[in-house]
Amino acid sequence: MSKSQIGNIMFTKDEIEARVHELSVEIFEHYVSKGVHEITLVPVLVSSFFFCTDISRNLNRISSDRNVEFQIFIDPIDVSFYGETSTTPSDTPTIRRNVAYSIEDKHILIVEDMIDSGVTLKHAYDILAEKKPASMQIAVVFDKVENHKVDINADYVGFPSPDVWIIGCS
């Protein structure tokens, strides 16, 4: 895609980095205020992994700066509407990779880049909820609330977004 095909810049790199840091502070303060010092980040692969890494780094930095022990584990899940060889979406998302470790009685933060229809995230949420975590929350960079087709809401939202294609560039 050429630059001439790209519309307006919605958020600059600096704005996104600042907002991700703010979210990280909110996340840290929420868990620590509840006496929780260990969480498992569950990125919904593949697009959310960079956001997850940024959240993890920020949480580590905040923990160190405040001299508060706070452990972070990362255990990705891969949910897709597409089969391994299919280019046509199915009606129901499938789990291509589930969490590798037990999350029972663990505090889970699902990390996703964007909520559009919410169907994939809701499916992932429901699958993880069956594993009986102590708590589950959701963090997203972009939330297209007007597009939600299912009842799913993020606890931490970077930016509410209109119904437009969002392209990340560096």
Side-chain angles (χ1 to χ4, degrees):
M1 180 171 282
S2 72
K3 281 194 172 191
S4 65
Q5 293 175 301
I6 297 174
N8 297 330
I9 294 174
M10 293 174 60
F11 310 104
T12 67
K13 179 182 178 219
D14 290 343
E15 289 171 327
I16 293 171
E17 286 176 357
R19 184 64 185 129
V20 170
H21 184 267
E22 290 169 1
L23 290 176
S24 301
V25 170
E26 290 176 37
I27 291 164
F28 181 83
E29 290 176 350
H30 167 80
Y31 284 107
V32 170
S33 73
K34 302 231 181 265
V36 175
H37 294 271
E38 178 182 300
I39 65 169
T40 300
L41 303 178
V42 179
V44 181
L45 290 178
V46 170
S47 58
S48 64
F49 209 79
F50 291 110
F51 177 46
C52 181
T53 300
D54 290 342
I55 292 284
S56 178
R57 284 184 187 142
N58 281 320
L59 290 173
N60 279 324
R61 226 174 277 125
I62 295 163
S63 171
S64 177
D65 290 349
R66 297 184 184 187
N67 199 25
V68 174
E69 185 176 327
F70 195 79
Q71 291 187 305
I72 302 156
F73 298 93
I74 299 175
D75 196 359
I77 188 170
D78 190 3
V79 183
S80 178
F81 273 102
Y82 299 88
E84 300 230 358
T85 59
S86 177
T87 56
T88 306
S90 66
D91 292 334
T92 308
T94 59
I95 302 290
R96 295 193 307 192
R97 182 201 186 278
N98 209 328
V99 290
Y101 303 99
S102 172
I103 61 170
E104 186 172 350
D105 297 324
K106 305 285 185 192
H107 297 277
I108 304 303
L109 180 64
I110 301 171
V111 182
E112 178 66 293
D113 63 338
M114 179 184 313
I115 303 177
D116 195 345
S117 72
V119 174
T120 301
L121 183 57
K122 176 79 165 108
H123 188 68
Y125 186 95
D126 291 347
I127 294 292
L128 294 170
E130 291 173 2
K131 298 177 181 299
K132 298 179 175 60
S135 70
M136 269 198 323
Q137 292 195 303
I138 299 169
V140 299
V141 182
F142 305 107
D143 190 358
K144 296 182 180 182
V145 176
E146 65 214 35
N147 286 13
H148 290 200
K149 293 182 177 156
V150 295
D151 185 23
I152 189 86
N153 294 299
D155 301 279
Y156 306 97
V157 176
F159 303 95
S161 301
D163 183 19
V164 296
W165 278 98
I166 298 175
I167 302 169
C169 300
S170 57

